[in-house]
């Protein structure tokens, strides 16, 4: 398919000015023409620059007021005398734009020609235009199976699409301070994955916002969860059936976790939340050895504290540590979903569903507020699911790609709990982030404190979606290692407090500032189940799915 | 073509001097006048009234006259002893309808009749500001520039946009000379 790229014919009215100076590293300076007012130009908007040989696509990173004569600022007549001020403002003052050239655009967009990162700058006096809707579409791709509409550029109705294939190749992150729309955005991204069928997903739904229903706290209303939108593609698991019933939230399966499933490394992760000393946490390994794998926790918790005291010496554990470990682990008894042995093998059930391309959402009910419960369940389930993926991937080695496990995206809120520098080396989440997509598993982490996340993990994140952040350390952490971070920083620091985000990294050809796609109206749900590129309706079963269900029945 | 005001008595390519037919009856400073074939256009940059014979200095004679006008009435010969002259800076010339900004290849002839330019010519002149460069670099007083621009604007149907545009042109010409620009602009406002 050859699409004529008629950027050169952009409409006259959108001419902003001319290139006057600059460099590849620091960006170029545009002298604005008198016909445009600086007040109409917003930072973060796109421009196309018609160089002599190439067109460039860039981002406005600064807007400045300039004068041709520095003495101007000392003169009163420019403000006192309306005639002089009119003359001066139309001749000796001008607006200047700093633009970061991001991409070079091909003259003709063909199958093998794509946009490329800008490796040079446009020549002197090249004309600069406000990017047209078409330009943006050329750059961000049309909505299709892999290109998911995530929002609009500020001031434009064009759709910005994110490349889902790239998104799931490496871990991704959604950052932003509280109430900026992280959960809304993440839910939209997950909807994209569901819609595209490119990967399965597993969501640790700490606050019960993804599955059956979601909350729009600002507008004081409920919004649909993913289960309501994609009935047949999403399974909801709950750790707190009672709470689900109270919320009148439908769920498909209940999840229990048996003491026998807990391993000493789970205890390591909980060191901080349980306030355990290193020695006490390490004692779990000894307990596993002396009391037996799978049985140790159950046996340990059955003991009276005196007995623990007594045996500690024989086990060669510091008595005080054994005692505090016993004391803290006894809290598990108050976690409803923790049982000596679970009624059902939830992990197997989840794996089955994930293997079939379903999406699993695990609701925590009341336990979302219990950090110990949240971390324990998330870590344990992820570890077991990941183990299985490692096995499946290794089995498939050397055979066809079709045997490989389907890509899996694991989504966690409050990610820094699992990925802070103190625990990132021990948790399964840290491993997944570091091993990239070796086993077809990647993370989608959601967090309000990116600075609390281990820098090595941060460096492995492929795509970042940043909502407003107001802490400098968080902004630094988010932008670390990104090219053009100085310019992005200024864009990032001026985001609206809601429903705006800066997306950068692998899934977009260049950093993009968006107004996030609306989520919450009936129309928005319909758009998600019936994207423009697809002909069948996702809410309804496809023929294959029907057939499959029939087979299951008989 | 309008009123004839005098004749050229001295000329070079940069400008010319005109002897006005009537004492004290020169068009005002900054006016645009024209003369010769091809027609040469100039801006009045200086007006002088002095004795015709420089060797006969003027002396005060009106001590016993009640008014200044009485002096002239009692001494009718004054009109022949004094003359009004003006100098003009050339800003352009035209061959038939082709108007060129800039200096003509030759100066006008001596005794060429000099006329005040009419609106038709002034409007075509005002289409470009190239003449400002000639005026500003001629060494003449900047007052001539502002006077000329004011004169032109008064002749145009809508003078204000012209003044704004000429201000912008001046800003480009006088880049780096803000106080000078400011002074001219003040005289225009
Ligand atoms: N895409 C969107 N469509 C509609 N409303 C949105 C969107 N994004 C954000 N909002 C509004 O912003 C509010 C906050 O969003 P959200 O709950 O996702 O924030 P959050 O960053 O997850 O907050 P917290 O840190 O408290 O979990 C929502 O209740 C909603 O009103
Ligand atoms: Mg949230």
């Amino acid at each position: 398919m050859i699409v004529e790229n008629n950027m050169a014919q952009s409409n006259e009215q959108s001419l902003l000015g001319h290139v006057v100076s600059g460099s590849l590293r620091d960006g170029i300076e545009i002298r604005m023409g008198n016909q445009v007012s600086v007040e109409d130009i917003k930072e973060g908007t796109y421009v196309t620059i018609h160089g002599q040989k190439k067109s460039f696509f860039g981002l406005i990173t600064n807007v400045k007021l300039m004068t041709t004569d520095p003495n101007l600022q000392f003169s009163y007549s420019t403000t006192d005398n309306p005639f002089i001020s009119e003359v001066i403002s139309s001749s000796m003052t001008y607006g200047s734009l700093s633009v970061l050239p991001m991409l070079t655009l091909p003259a003709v967009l063909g199958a093998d020609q794509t946009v490329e990162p800008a490796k040079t700058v446009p020549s002197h006096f090249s004309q600069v235009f406000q990017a047209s809707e078409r330009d943006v579409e050329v750059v961000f791709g049309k909505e299709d199976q892999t290109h998911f509409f995530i929002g609009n550029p500020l001031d434009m109705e064009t759709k910005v699409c994110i490349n889902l294939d790239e998104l799931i190749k490496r871990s991704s992150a959604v950052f932003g301070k509280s109430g900026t729309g992280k959960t809304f955005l993440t839910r939209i991204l997950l909807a994209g994955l569901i819609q595209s069928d490119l990967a399965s997903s597993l969501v640790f739904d700490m606050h019960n916002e993804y599955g059956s229903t979601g909350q729009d706290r600002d507008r004081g209303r409920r919004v649909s969860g993913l289960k309501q939108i994609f009935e047949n593609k999403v399974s909801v698991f709950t750790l707190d059936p009672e709470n689900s019933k109270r919320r009148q939230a439908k769920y498909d399966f209940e999840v229990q976790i048996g003491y026998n499933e807990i391993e000493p490394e789970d205890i390591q992760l909980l060191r901080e939340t349980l306030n355990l000393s290193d020695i006490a946490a390490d004692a779990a390994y000894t307990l596993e050895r002396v009391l037996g794998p799978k049985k140790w926790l159950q046996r340990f918790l059955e003991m009276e504290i005196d007995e623990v005291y007594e045996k500690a010496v024989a086990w060669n554990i510091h008595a005080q540590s054994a005692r505090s470990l016993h004391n803290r682990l006894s809290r598990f008894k108050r976690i409803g979903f923790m049982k000596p042995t679970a009624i059902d093998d939830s992990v197997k059930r989840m794996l089955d569903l994930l293997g079939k391309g379903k999406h699993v959402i695990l609701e925590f009910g009341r336990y979302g507020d219990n950090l110990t419960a949240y971390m324990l369940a998330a870590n344990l389930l992820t570890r077991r699911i990941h183990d299985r993926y490692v096995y499946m991937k290794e089995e498939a080695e050397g055979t066809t790609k079709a045997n490989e496990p389907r890509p899996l995206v694991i989504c966690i809120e409050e990610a820094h709990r699992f990925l802070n520098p103190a625990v990132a080396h021990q948790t399964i989440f840290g491993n997944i982030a570091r091993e990239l997509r070796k086993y077809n598993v990647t993370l989608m982490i959601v967090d309000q404190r990116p600075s609390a996340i281990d820098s090595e993990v941060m460096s492995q994140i492929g795509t970042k979606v940043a909502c407003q952040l107001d802490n400098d350390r968080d902004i630094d952490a988010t932008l670390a290692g990104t090219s053009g971070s100085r310019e992005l920083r200024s864009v990032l620091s001026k985001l609206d407090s809601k429903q705006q985000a800066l997306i950068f990294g692998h899934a977009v050809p260049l950093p993009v500032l968006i107004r996030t796609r609306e989520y919450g109206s009936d129309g928005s749900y319909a758009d998600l189940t019936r994207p423009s590129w697809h002909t069948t309706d996702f809410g309804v079963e496809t023929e294959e799915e029907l057939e499959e269900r029939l087979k299951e029945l008989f | 073509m309008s009123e004839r005001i005098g004749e050229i008595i001295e000329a070079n390519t940069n400008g010319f001097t005109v002897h006005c037919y009537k004492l004290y009856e020169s068009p005002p400073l900054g006016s645009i006048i024209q003369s010769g074939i091809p027609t040469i256009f100039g801006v009045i940059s200086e007006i002088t009234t002095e004795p015709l014979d420089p060797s006969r200095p003027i002396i005060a004679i009106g001590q016993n006259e009640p008014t200044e006008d009485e002096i002239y009435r009692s001494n009718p010969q004054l009109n022949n002893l004094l003359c009004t002259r003006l100098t003009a800076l050339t800003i352009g010339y035209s061959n038939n309808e082709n108007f060129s900004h800039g200096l003509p290849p030759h100066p006008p002839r001596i005794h060429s009749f000099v006329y005040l330019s009419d609106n038709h010519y002034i409007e075509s002149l005002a289409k470009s500001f190239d003449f400002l460069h000639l005026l500003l670099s001629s060494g003449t007083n900047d007052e001539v520039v502002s006077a000329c621009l004011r004169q032109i604007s008064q002749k145009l149907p809508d003078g204000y946009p012209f003044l704004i545009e000429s201000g912008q042109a001046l800003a480009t010409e006088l880049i780096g000379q803000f106080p000078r620009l400011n002074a001219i602009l003040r005289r225009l406002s």
Side-chain angles (χ1 to χ4, degrees), chain A residues 184 187 207-209 213-217 220-223:
Chain A
F184 270 65
R187 203 166 26 211
H207 301 301
N208 317 309
E209 300 168 297
T213 55
Q215 285 297 321
D216 187 334
R217 267 164 276 149
R221 61 170 186 189
R222 281 188 165 201
V223 294

Side-chain angles (χ1 to χ4, degrees), chain A residues 462-522:
Chain A
T463 305
K464 290 176 191 159
V465 181
C467 304
Q468 192 187 53
L469 286 165
D470 50 11
N471 179 313
D472 279 348
R473 291 225 316 273
D474 289 329
I475 295 179
D476 288 340
T478 305
L479 295 175
T482 314
S483 66
S485 60
R486 192 160 51 92
E487 287 78 7
L488 292 183
R489 188 187 177 90
S490 95
V491 173
L492 186 55
S493 61
K494 289 187 203 86
L495 286 180
D496 268 7
S497 64
K498 249 176 225 359
Q499 222 178 324
Q500 280 194 2
L502 176 70
I503 307 180
F504 56 100
H506 293 229
V508 280
L510 75 168
V512 53
L513 181 56
I514 58 156
R515 183 161 27 84
T516 313
R517 164 177 195 166
E518 193 255 348
Y519 183 99
S521 65
D522 290 342

Side-chain angles (χ1 to χ4, degrees), chain A residues 124-144:
Chain A
H124 265 108
F125 307 119
S126 299
Q127 290 188 310
V128 181
F129 296 86
Q130 185 135 32
S132 68
E133 311 246 324
R134 234 204 90 99
D135 298 345
V136 174
E137 196 178 288
V138 166
V139 170
F140 289 101
K142 248 192 147 72
E143 213 180 354
D144 61 22

